Amino acid sequence: MEEERRFRCLRCGLEFTAVHRKDGEPVERVCPRCRSNSIRPTKEAKG
Amino acid sequence: MMDAGRHPRIKVLVSSEVIDVSGAVGNFHVKVRRRARYVQQDLCNSCAECTKVCPVIIPDEYQMGLASRKAIYIPFPQAVPSAYLINPEDCLGNNPIACGKCLEVCEQKCIDFDMRDEILEVDVGAMIVATGMEAYDPTEITEYGYSRYDNVITSMEFERLICAGGPSAGHFVRPSDGERPRRIGFIQCVGSRSSRYGSPYCSNICCMNTVKDTLLLADHYPDTDAKVFYMDIRAFGKGFEDLYLRSRSSGVRYIRGIPGEIEEDPQTKNLRVRVENTLAGELEQHELDMVVLSVGVRPRLDSNTVQRLLTLSRTSDGFFLEAHPKLKPVDAPTRGIFLAGCCESPKDVKDSVTQAGAAASHVQVLLSAGRIRIDAGTPLLEEADCIRCGRCAAVCPFHAIHWQRGGVPEIIEAACSGCGCCAAECPVDALTMRHSTDEQLKAQIDAILDEHPEDKLLTFACNWCSYAGGDTAGTARLQFPVHGRLVRTMCSARVSEDLILYAFEKGAPLVLVSGCHFADCHYINANRQTVTRVERAWDRLEKLGIRPERLHLEWISAAEGQKFAEVMRVLDEPRAQVTAEEIAHTRKVLAEERKRREGRKEKMRAAARKKREAAADARAESSAGAAASVAGPAKS
Ligand SMILES: Cc1cc2nc3c(=O)[nH]c(=O)nc-3n(C[C@H](O)[C@H](O)[C@H](O)COP(=O)(O)OP(=O)(O)OC[C@H]3O[C@@H](n4cnc5c(N)ncnc54)[C@H](O)[C@@H]3O)c2cc1C
Ligand code: SF4
Ligand code: SF4
Ligand code: SF4
Ligand SMILES: [Zn+2]
């Protein structure tokens, strides 16, 4: 199952939406702007 | 296969599948379901009388549905053992009114409708996974009309049609009219190298398979006009370029361009293909009698089951992951399990056989040694502290911890790879990683942050990737700020939330947790737990009024010296921005928080201990009561 989630990059501060797969292999999260992997799900994302 | 079937020390279990695996390297216990074949294989002499009288006619899977078989059959001519079997789904013998015609004619009396599936249990020291792959089914590419047009076939069907043991006894004919096709087109990369259909990867075997097929045609039917539509021909193996050039010089036309559509003439069943010839820069139209779709391969649909049973890992394309792409190409990450053939990646027969030989040799080395050497860095359980929560077992990627609800976890050291994920997960510090204890790691943190902590970028780096990435950056003499200080752990999953908080408490302005990219994790998928822990730590920091932006996470491979240097460069600015006041505040907050945390842990341990004691008392009481009632009331 796929759903869209909000994430925030803790390196550059960019907030973005990305597809989150609940089942299946998790994928590495990358900031689309600065390529950092310090990607935190936002509060709403955790719901 | 026949040699294996005859070999005194090889036991071939056909129609069988593994349904359960327990234990570890050297001592695997495997349960196998052997399906009933309804024919006693030792008695059957393959006289074929049964198959003549069987009234059920169904498409023969081996001949790709181009011929038929009966419900009692031999799957393919070289099958081992050479004995008939009944497919219960096809056979009328399973209906209430059994047909039983085969039973009547079998002189050997080997047909037995009461046969049942058997569960066999075997103990083995090592296992080789060689479950292969599946060919891509091109039905979804409606533009090619595979399921609508009789004369559009796959390369698998081509193999059957041209084979002497095939449905037409090697006479190459069109399915629509049984006539020999004279104009044949091959379309390459069907279901491969595509973001739309099938898979994005190159299937590796289909170019050379087509080259071989065109040579077969040139050999058997020299007047055939063959055309190959391709993106690029990948003829990279030994002698392959030579075969490709032979195919070209035999008159086969190679046209660079993949057709968008196939049309059929409903009367003649001939096919029309339009293609942009990208070398000539022209739109071309080709009239053909037959089109062969050169289908790619993909992982078997039941790979999940095998993966779960054997604790395997898979790459993003779905094939099983080897322990190391260069140094351990036939080892699975789980010790004692090896990979061979296309289950690991698409490859031809030669490479499959090479890999199978290597896997068999590795097994020999392992088994002939009789004993194995395991890393000393395994977890040690302090049973008195353990609250029997099972979290360690849940996160162990190697299933090296056996745990039953409410029980003490049992650590199978032979299966443990020493990632330390369990110790980082334990909520009450009941697990100590030998040679990588919390105390040892904290001593390193202390030493790093002892003087001028504000100048240090405290970095947890995993042994295999990010630490090696740092080495790569160093040996390549890349320039980056000198503030990075590395604490090496075997896996990033060894880094507990406590260790991260400890580093901040000791004055680290910034903490970086780094590890392997997901696909490279040396402990199957332990680094997924790293993400969970770092996320938990971000939440915790925020709750305590500490900026989560001070904790960073980066995946850096051993080859990514550039990325390592870049991360060190980029993080130097936020490190320098953390003020002395902020650090002092963090230290104070976290020192208090640590005391509270220790208190919470002690409470959890005490509560669990109390619960255990109460349960033990209750058990003692009930057994005393039972003993009293057996003895009867005491006589006064
Ligand atoms: C269309 C096509 C054309 C090809 N042409 C060529 C060619 O010309 N030359 C060449 O060198 N190679 C060719 N290949 C590749 C070749 O088929 C493979 O290299 C080879 O079959 C790989 O062998 P394998 O043992 O890994 O897998 P497979 O041959 O797929 O064998 C795997 C076996 O495992 C069994 N199995 C699967 N799951 C289980 C389970 N859970 N329990 C028990 N058994 C299981 C399967 O039934 C099967 O018998 C071609 C492949 C395709 C699809
Ligand atoms: S081997 Fe050739 S036909 Fe097969 S996917 Fe790769 S490029 Fe395409
Ligand atoms: S160290 Fe890793 S492999 Fe070993 S028991 Fe703990 S989680 Fe499992
Ligand atoms: S308390 Fe620790 S060692 Fe005990 S079961 Fe839980 S995680 Fe495992
Ligand atoms: Zn960013």
Side-chain angles (χ1 to χ4, degrees):
Chain A
M1 235 188 25
E2 286 187 353
E3 60 174 29
E4 300 233 306
R5 276 200 178 180
R6 297 284 297 164
F7 295 97
R8 195 162 78 83
C9 170
L10 294 194
R11 191 198 284 178
C12 76
L14 180 74
E15 285 218 10
F16 60 96
T17 306
V19 170
H20 172 83
R21 278 170 57 184
K22 278 197 163 168
D23 44 10
E25 270 293 281
V27 286
E28 272 180 39
R29 293 186 201 132
V30 179
C31 171
R33 183 160 69 194
C34 73
R35 314 301 301 160
S36 169
N37 303 121
S38 302
I39 305 301
R40 185 177 180 210
T42 60
K43 286 251 164 54
E44 315 89 85
K46 279 183 246 163
Chain B
M1 190 68 182
M2 286 185 190
D3 287 346
R6 279 192 217 112
H7 196 283
R9 299 194 59 195
I10 299 177
K11 191 167 177 186
V12 179
L13 299 177
V14 293
S15 313
S16 305
E17 64 179 322
V18 171
I19 54 169
D20 188 51
V21 177
S22 55
V25 56
N27 289 304
F28 289 113
H29 185 70
V30 184
K31 281 193 190 148
V32 178
R33 172 178 288 120
R34 180 148 68 174
R35 296 198 186 285
R37 46 192 297 142
Y38 304 100
V39 177
Q40 295 180 47
Q41 64 184 58
D42 305 341
L43 296 181
C44 173
N45 61 8
S46 320
C47 67
E49 291 305 316
C50 52
T51 203
K52 288 181 199 151
V53 297
C54 175
V56 181
I57 300 172
I58 45 164
D60 184 340
E61 302 86 350
Y62 176 65
Q63 303 288 12
M64 302 302 297
L66 297 166
S68 60
R69 66 162 173 85
K70 299 294 185 68
I72 184 161
Y73 67 115
I74 288 188
F76 55 99
Q78 302 83 7
V80 171
S82 179
Y84 278 72
L85 63 90
I86 293 173
N87 185 339
E89 267 122 59
D90 308 329
C91 169
L92 299 174
N94 249 16
N95 285 344
I97 314 156
C99 132
K101 288 192 189 318
C102 50
L103 191 73
E104 286 163 20
V105 297
C106 176
E107 285 187 358
Q108 292 289 100
K109 301 282 169 244
C110 51
I111 296 170
D112 175 4
F113 284 112
D114 294 328
M115 220 179 241
R116 292 284 167 263
D117 288 0
E118 274 178 278
I119 305 293
L120 310 174
E121 304 207 8
V122 283
D123 291 316
V124 296
M127 288 187 265
I128 297 176
V129 184
T131 45
M133 47 32 181
E134 281 176 13
Y136 171 72
D137 175 355
T139 306
E140 65 172 341
I141 314 180
T142 48
E143 302 90 296
Y144 287 169
Y146 170 64
S147 56
R148 297 195 307 278
Y149 308 148
D150 289 344
N151 297 323
V152 175
I153 64 168
T154 66
S155 39
M156 289 287 277
E157 288 160 341
F158 180 96
E159 293 289 323
R160 299 318 310 146
L161 281 173
I162 202 137
C163 173
S168 49
H171 299 292
F172 192 66
V173 291
R174 303 210 302 178
S176 69
D177 52 14
E179 293 293 318
R180 183 161 77 77
R182 285 168 201 274
R183 300 168 301 174
I184 303 177
F186 291 83
I187 301 181
Q188 296 307 107
C189 300
V190 176
S192 305
R193 304 176 68 191
S194 164
S195 53
R196 225 168 130 214
Y197 296 121
S199 331
Y201 53 81
C202 165
S203 288
N204 191 318
I205 43 146
C206 10
C207 274
M208 287 320 292
N209 184 51
T210 291
V211 169
K212 178 197 77 181
D213 290 346
T214 58
L215 287 168
L216 279 175
L217 284 173
D219 189 34
H220 294 13
Y221 310 103
D223 60 341
T224 306
D225 173 20
K227 289 170 180 157
V228 177
F229 303 98
Y230 71 101
M231 276 195 239
D232 43 57
I233 290 292
R234 302 198 165 174
F236 52 84
K238 186 174 174 183
F240 287 3
E241 185 69 11
D242 189 38
L243 284 177
Y244 167 55
L245 294 176
R246 261 175 56 202
S247 166
R248 288 192 84 115
S249 61
S250 74
V252 177
R253 227 189 116 192
Y254 282 78
I255 299 160
R256 202 178 81 179
I258 298 290
E261 201 179 359
I262 302 174
E263 282 169 5
E264 185 197 57
D265 179 333
Q267 249 83 53
T268 60
K269 303 279 180 190
N270 288 345
L271 303 161
R272 181 176 304 132
V273 160
R274 279 197 198 87
V275 64
E276 185 193 349
N277 184 331
T278 56
L279 284 183
E282 280 170 9
L283 273 179
E284 295 179 0
Q285 188 167 295
H286 299 267
E287 305 289 328
L288 301 163
D289 300 330
M290 178 187 260
V291 169
V292 182
L293 304 179
S294 188
V295 289
V297 296
R298 57 178 204 174
R300 283 180 63 93
L301 291 174
D302 60 4
S303 299
N304 267 339
T305 313
V306 180
Q307 177 182 14
R308 184 181 44 78
L309 284 168
L310 300 176
T311 322
L312 299 174
S313 192
R314 294 208 273 162
T315 44
S316 55
D317 52 24
F319 292 97
F320 293 133
L321 178 73
E322 66 280 34
H324 190 281
K326 289 173 194 149
L327 304 176
K328 289 187 168 182
V330 299
D331 297 55
T334 305
R335 208 177 286 143
I337 300 189
F338 301 89
L339 307 172
C342 289
C343 66
E344 184 263 330
S345 66
K347 53 178 75 69
D348 64 7
V349 170
K350 180 183 169 185
D351 285 355
S352 299
V353 170
T354 308
Q355 204 180 16
S361 314
H362 279 226
V363 170
Q364 287 274 12
V365 170
L366 179 75
L367 297 187
S368 60
R371 49 176 60 216
I372 56 160
R373 195 184 277 261
I374 57 168
D375 287 339
T378 54
L380 183 72
L381 175 71
E382 183 56 53
E383 217 180 295
D385 287 348
C386 170
I387 59 169
R388 280 76 164 145
C389 66
R391 280 169 65 171
C392 51
V395 298
C396 174
F398 295 88
H399 297 181
I401 302 183
H402 290 180
W403 174 78
Q404 281 182 332
R405 186 168 286 279
V408 186
E410 183 198 351
I411 297 159
I412 315 294
E413 291 200 37
C416 168
S417 285
C419 61
C421 187
C422 52
E425 187 69 15
C426 178
V428 289
D429 303 335
L431 289 167
T432 304
M433 285 311 292
R434 294 182 180 97
H435 306 289
S436 176
T437 65
D438 278 7
E439 284 63 39
Q440 286 170 323
L441 295 173
K442 283 178 180 171
Q444 291 183 51
I445 296 171
D446 288 343
I448 290 170
L449 301 173
D450 195 25
E451 283 175 21
H452 301 293
E454 67 282 1
D455 286 346
K456 314 285 167 52
L457 168 50
L458 193 121
T459 302
F460 291 102
C462 84
N463 180 57
W464 306 99
C465 290
S466 51
Y467 194 91
D471 267 349
T472 308
T475 46
R477 303 274 192 271
L478 298 179
Q479 297 297 311
F480 51 89
V482 293
H483 306 291
R485 292 292 184 281
L486 271 54
V487 175
R488 176 156 48 168
T489 55
M490 291 311 283
C491 176
S492 58
R494 169 70 186 91
V495 183
S496 62
E497 206 186 321
D498 277 8
L499 285 171
I500 296 171
L501 298 183
Y502 185 80
F504 280 120
E505 189 193 329
K506 290 290 149 179
L510 226 65
V511 172
L512 166 64
V513 177
S514 63
C516 308
H517 285 284
F518 276 18
D520 303 337
C521 181
H522 280 61
Y523 302 99
I524 302 183
N525 52 13
N527 62 0
R528 292 7 167 224
Q529 300 298 332
T530 313
V531 179
T532 312
R533 297 217 184 96
V534 169
E535 282 180 4
R536 268 193 238 142
W538 278 327
D539 292 350
R540 178 79 63 116
L541 291 172
E542 192 170 57
K543 243 189 205 155
L544 295 168
I546 299 164
R547 286 186 302 124
E549 289 81 359
R550 290 172 57 194
L551 171 60
H552 288 258
L553 173 68
E554 293 297 340
W555 309 123
I556 304 171
S557 80
E560 286 178 328
Q562 290 281 4
K563 179 167 181 184
F564 183 90
E566 164 77 9
V567 168
M568 289 293 139
R569 257 194 306 272
V570 173
L571 293 187
D572 203 41
E573 197 184 313
R575 179 204 57 77
Q577 281 169 356
V578 182
T579 60
E581 292 73 37
E582 196 176 357
I583 292 177
H585 174 258
T586 305
R587 295 180 83 143
K588 184 168 166 285
V589 170
L590 285 178
E592 287 161 10
E593 157 66 12
R594 181 164 46 82
K595 281 186 204 132
R596 283 197 299 273
R597 222 166 44 237
E598 293 305 336
R600 277 197 300 271
K601 284 182 188 171
E602 194 39 55
K603 255 192 198 154
M604 283 161 81
R605 291 185 201 113
R609 233 174 267 143
K610 213 166 150 192
K611 211 169 137 193
R612 285 200 300 275
E613 280 160 15
D617 287 350
R619 269 198 309 274
E621 239 171 63
S622 80
S623 64
S629 68
V630 169
K635 280 184 190 145
S636 53

